[in-house]
Amino acid sequence: MPNEDFIVGLEIGTSKVCAVVAEGRPDGTVKINGVGYAPSRGVRKGEIVDFETAGKCVREALADAEEKSDIMIGSVYLAVSGGHIESFNNRGLVNIPPEREEICEDDFEEVQAAAREVSIPPPNQFLHSVLQHYYVDGQDGVLNPIGMMGTALEADFHIIHGVGTRIKNSIRCVKELDIEVEDVVFGPLASAQVVLDMDQKNQGALVIDVGAGTTGYVVYADGAVKHSGCLAVGGDHITNDLSLGLRIPMARAEKLKTEEGSVRLGRSSPGERVVLKDETGFAGKEIEREMLNTIIHCRVRETFELVKKRLDESGASMDFLGAGVQLTGGSSTMVGIDELAQEIFGLPVHLTCVKGTMSGPTNAFDNPQYSCAIGVVKYAHAMTAGIRRPGLFRRIARRIPFFNNLL
Amino acid sequence: MIELPRSTPSNSELNIKVIGLGGAGANVADRLQLDGLDGAELIAMNTDTQSLVGSVASVKVQLGRDTTRGLGAGGDPELGYAAADESADEIKAALEGASMVFICAGLGGGTGSGAAPLIANFARQQRALVVAFVTMPFTFEGRRRMAQAEEALESLRQQADVIICFENDRMGDAVNPRAGIQDAFVAADQTIVSGVRAIAGILRRRGLIHAGLDEIATVLRTQNSRSLFGFGEADGDNRAHVAIERALRNPLMDRGRLLADVQSILVHVAGGPSMTLNEVTLLMEELNRHVSDSTRLLFSTAVDPQLGGKMCVAILGALGAFERLPESVPRPAKALPPPVMAPVPEREWIAVAPPPKLEECPKTEPDGAVAEPVAAVAPRVARVGRSGLQQKPTREQKQEQMTFEPVNRGRFEKSEPTIVDGQDLDVPAFMRMNVRVK
Ligand SMILES: Nc1nc2c(ncn2[C@@H]2O[C@H](COP(=O)(O)OP(=O)(O)OP(=O)(O)O)[C@@H](O)[C@H]2O)c(=O)[nH]1
Ligand SMILES: Nc1ncnc2c1ncn2[C@@H]1O[C@H](COP(=O)(O)OP(=O)(O)OP(=O)(O)O)[C@@H](O)[C@H]1O
Ligand SMILES: [Mg+2]
Ligand SMILES: [Mg+2]
């Protein structure tokens, strides 16, 4: 029997599928019982392109997670990602009828609906409306307006949307394995939940999850999500660039990248070479180290510059990000990536995995590739805390992201 | 496909022959034959009789009856060369009357590598325009094959007008050299087929045929420059957009940057009966954004019922073709002894009539099929004749061959291209930044 008390976070990443089984605790922390893993195939740029193959990998990762945690998985929370996912900020307003001066739950739903009254492209669907701030009668700094007296409730939301069919594709892949999908979470938003603690969210931070097929980013300021998005560019692109530039097969390029690659320029001695070791069928080849690093540098620089450009265009101010840039995701292990990020964003940069309020097998926390899947668990726990807890929030927690202010 | 009326006077001017040379070439020729390529003759040439027997090509030439005795060239280009030399008369007979010869071969083996430069030479002696579609071997095939292929390419450069070169290493996720190799070959074959088809398609359009085999030749004649090639095919609501995007996605197209430098390009748009003028206009507008004002654009369209709901576009062109060595400088021939190759006769290009305007185009082919250039963009710069080209000497004699990601886009094949701010991010960043990598 699937155990209802456990939360399973699943990321069908471009390079790996990761499933995290955890137990949510009433104090908001989660305890990880096991992390399942399988290399993924049939996924490109964060999206499934081959269902059958991807499905097998998901099954494998879930089986691994079941084995590690000794818990049977019946449902998951699923991370979704891809270049089609976009965001904007919008404010909703509801007038409180004069006969009832007190703000109630329904008003909250309405204000959220009002914020969503913006036209998004027809194929798109809303993924999240993350609450930023409330205003009651124009006054900000309101933490919980329910029960307050007022004539107008306003709320700012960070709205994330993406192409409906593409989001459903990922869901379908899981459902075909007879596993329920409880909810979907935008991957980078999930990563941010484990990379940042409450303090850092308040100070402000830019989280960048550099994966294999995507580079997702989330900006927090004043404890709220200010901007988010995803570029369909990642470590695979670095590998592909190397494969093309150095004329070596993808598998060799990948190995070369992770074992010898760096984004630092001008650090190798002139003419320094990397020898591609001979393996079955391959002739040995020598590659100039500076050339290797230059190809990587160009790609990583461009990717960060594009993120920077998007942030600048969104109007999200970079000046108040006291907690700096937090890099996570597998490609953040690239040597020298922090220095380059520092140069481009002009902020202190940290390489991070998982922080605080977590317990469980520590090796899972050390690996930035798992940030997203663990983040999904944390997100889900925050979102459903009200359901598990009796009382006022029981009914609303599911439908409205009231607990989004925990994010 | 629209039948080329075999008796028109232009026919002799437009005799297209496609040669599938060696084992790899034979596969390409078979694919072309099976898919149907009207108005062109397919010729299989090989040392290996077994491969010839299995081929569906309409004309077959066995190379080197005595030299190889019906066996292959065993990976030895010298043997391949000797075989072609032995069968010179037969090859010439097969090429007789061709105005355009496509040579398709996999370089690295014996037959393709050894015979291709010689066959190209024979074709040029007949004043045919020679376009070589070749593949370079996988790295895992070993240094020797690679070296042989490179040498053959070098020789071929001296003979062919256009070389379009595909690197097998880039044909797919050749993660495991043994698994998937067949798929990679099939992908290469398909890309070559689409290239041949595109050029042949352009040549078969009547309006343009009269206007200028000459013009086409000028565009394609890239002896001392790089060639560009891109092919895209799409269906669905957005097919015009997607098809051109795909065609532009070639790394050496550099998503338009290279197109901006291009002197002249050929564009061929084909679609099923549902293709609208609007779609063609949209596609051309999109392409025009990547092309500089001084670029000469040679454009044709065709309605091909076989394409069904699909639309496809092929782009072919030459970069920086003004650089050229004076003819008196001897060309270094590495693989082959120089005296063996007959000197290539100088071509005299006839004056060109401007491409036909829309109204002037015949609306219907004699056989009732629709084949009309929907629009033709008049040359925007004065045509540079061949003699004009010769006057600008340069040190660089080589024709840089182009390498491009095949229609099979390797790692990113099945995914949507990542286009941000008008740039195709799937194209290596260092290439778009113009960083030189040796
Ligand atoms: N595109 C494509 N390339 C192929 C195919 N088969 C082989 N190749 C490539 O072409 C190169 C030459 O192989 P072949 O065409 O078999 O050789 P050949 O020209 O017949 O020469 P011999 O067999 O030595 O007479 C190989 O090294 C491969 O890289 C194929 O089916 N399609
Ligand atoms: N030491 C290393 N140096 C550079 N890159 C590395 C290193 N180790 C892993 N990577 C890269 O990390 C990427 C995998 O990261 P991750 O697991 O976060 O991606 P993913 O979640 O599968 O992909 P996505 O989230 O984009 O769909 C691969 O591209 C891999 O090459
Ligand atoms: Mg990821
Ligand atoms: Mg052979």
Side-chain angles (χ1 to χ4, degrees), chain A residues 44-45 166 232-233 236-237 240-241 243-245 247 250-251 281 284 288 291 294 298-299 302 306 309, chain B residues 140 143 167 170 173-175 411-412 415-416 418 421 425-433 435 437-438:
Chain A
R44 294 281 185 278
K45 299 177 182 177
R166 299 217 200 163
V233 173
D236 270 359
H237 282 82
N240 198 53
D241 291 1
S243 166
L244 199 81
R247 293 152 194 261
M250 283 292 283
E288 207 173 302
M291 191 157 79
T294 302
C298 289
R299 175 61 76 174
E302 178 187 68
L306 284 169
K309 183 158 175 267
Chain B
F140 67 76
R143 281 177 202 272
E167 273 176 85
R170 302 285 317 140
D173 276 15
V175 175
R411 181 68 188 158
F412 303 118
S415 61
E416 186 180 75
T418 302
D421 301 336
L425 300 188
D426 294 341
V427 175
F430 73 89
M431 282 189 187
R432 282 177 288 113
M433 292 176 179
V435 172
V437 166
K438 283 166 285 167

Side-chain angles (χ1 to χ4, degrees), chain B residues 1-2 32 41 60 72 77 98-99 106 132-133 238 255 277 324 338 362 367 382 404 428:
Chain B
M1 280 279 177
I2 299 105
L32 274 166
E41 185 176 62
K60 300 175 187 184
S99 49
F133 283 86
N238 212 7
R255 188 156 182 85
L277 184 60
R324 178 181 277 273
D367 61 352
F404 72 85

Side-chain angles (χ1 to χ4, degrees), chain B residues 262-281:
Chain B
V262 89
Q263 195 191 13
S264 40
I265 50 173
L266 282 182
V267 184
H268 181 60
V269 181
S274 62
M275 179 171 74
T276 65
L277 184 60
N278 229 358
E279 285 177 308
V280 176
T281 313

